[in-house]
Amino acid sequence: MTASSQTQPGALPPELPPQPHPVAPLHQAFPASVSEAAAAVIDAEMQENGAATGEELAAAETRAGILFDPASVEAAVTAARDQAHAEDQAELDAVRAELADARRELALLAGDHRRRDAVLRLCEGRRGDDLLLVSAVATAAECGTTALDGLPMTLTWKRSPSVPENTDRVQQVTIHCESSYGGRADLVVDDEDRMALASLLDAEVIRDIHAPCPHERGCGSDDAHLDSNGVFGWARVEVAGIDGGPRWYCTPQCVFAALARAGEELAAIEETTTGGEL
């Protein structure tokens, strides 16, 4: 043994305590998977404490964010659920408040509309220079009703209608009338309603051209004179192009209806012959 290999006399230096090896948090380890992260945490804990116990390993994994306390997780989920429920309830309460305000505004508007209509009904049919009692107007504006509600307005025809031309796009008739208060009133009748109204007003003058004669059972036949008391005042008409020969009609209105029917029949024959081409 040489002199260089011998230990020099004197006191030995104090033994240094083992240095701890801190476990890196999970977000700094960047593991590829949870199992690799857990293995890394366990290896680091065992290197630090040697043969670490299961409790120490579990504590290390909890600190690294791999293990979670079920109670803490449940508390966090419950808190988040309660917060979301509170926010939804607050939003629902706000919507209910807005709906209640909208209903109140709608009720106010409906009341104003009803009172306005009552005042207009009170003025309806009157002349522009007519006078109304203040009490009547105030009652209509306050209650939304008038003393005449439920009673029809009486109109008198002024014997002057506005009849459209055949070339007018809108076939509309305006019948000029006057109310019982002397105000102007117009009855407007469109399209097919014109003929329907005329038929209801006077079925003797205007009726359906295909309806049977309401006077004589044999009207429109070729032997009508045999079933009637006489043919005085009757008309015998034969339409060219219509088969069946001449026929007897008891009134001019029946003659007009027969001519109208013949016109329809001739138009149908012409359309069939030409194939509907103009």
Side-chain angles (χ1 to χ4, degrees):
M1 182 173 60
T2 62
S4 60
S5 64
Q6 294 180 355
T7 302
Q8 298 297 326
L12 294 174
E15 184 178 357
L16 297 176
Q19 298 295 324
H21 299 282
V23 179
L26 180 63
H27 66 276
Q28 296 179 1
F30 297 102
S33 64
V34 176
S35 60
E36 293 180 1
V41 171
I42 293 174
D43 291 342
E45 185 68 18
M46 293 182 68
Q47 289 177 4
E48 179 182 356
N49 300 328
T53 63
E55 185 177 355
E56 292 174 345
L57 296 177
E61 292 183 355
T62 302
R63 290 192 302 270
I66 298 176
L67 294 181
F68 300 95
D69 183 14
S72 301
V73 173
E74 181 65 25
V77 171
T78 302
R81 186 185 300 112
D82 293 342
Q83 178 67 23
H85 179 71
E87 294 177 356
D88 293 342
Q89 188 64 36
E91 185 176 356
L92 181 60
D93 293 340
V95 172
R96 287 175 177 172
E98 293 178 0
L99 181 59
D101 294 340
R103 287 177 175 172
R104 285 192 294 268
E105 293 178 1
L106 182 60
L108 293 176
L109 291 176
D112 294 341
H113 183 72
R114 183 170 58 253
R115 288 188 288 269
R116 170 182 172 274
D117 286 347
V119 174
L120 291 178
R121 288 197 305 272
L122 190 65
C123 300
E124 191 175 26
R126 299 178 184 271
R127 298 188 307 272
D129 57 352
D130 200 356
L131 301 178
L132 288 172
L133 294 176
V134 174
S135 59
V137 177
T139 300
E142 181 66 24
C143 303
T145 59
T146 70
L148 301 178
D149 284 351
L151 298 178
M153 179 185 296
T154 302
L155 301 179
T156 303
W157 181 36
K158 299 299 292 181
R159 304 186 69 84
S160 62
S162 297
V163 182
E165 300 291 340
N166 292 332
T167 57
D168 291 346
R169 185 177 60 87
V170 178
Q171 294 296 309
Q172 177 178 284
V173 173
T174 302
I175 302 174
H176 304 149
C177 301
E178 185 179 75
S179 71
S180 56
Y181 300 106
R184 174 182 172 182
D186 291 338
L187 174 62
V188 179
V189 187
D190 297 331
D191 299 335
E192 294 84 1
D193 293 338
R194 297 163 54 200
M195 184 65 68
L197 177 62
S199 299
L200 292 174
L201 292 177
D202 195 343
E204 297 295 328
V205 177
I206 301 177
R207 65 175 188 269
D208 187 0
I209 61 174
H210 299 285
C213 176
H215 309 290
E216 296 289 344
R217 182 171 56 87
C219 180
S221 61
D222 54 357
D223 55 353
H225 61 285
L226 300 177
D227 298 332
S228 61
N229 297 326
V231 292
F232 182 77
W234 285 51
R236 193 166 184 262
V237 179
E238 181 178 6
V239 180
I242 303 298
D243 297 335
R247 296 179 179 274
W248 290 90
Y249 301 95
C250 63
T251 62
Q253 290 76 19
C254 294
V255 174
F256 298 150
L259 293 176
R261 291 195 299 271
E264 288 186 355
E265 187 174 348
L266 289 174
I269 294 174
E270 183 179 359
E271 184 178 358
T272 303
T273 307
T274 59
E277 296 181 358
L278 298 178

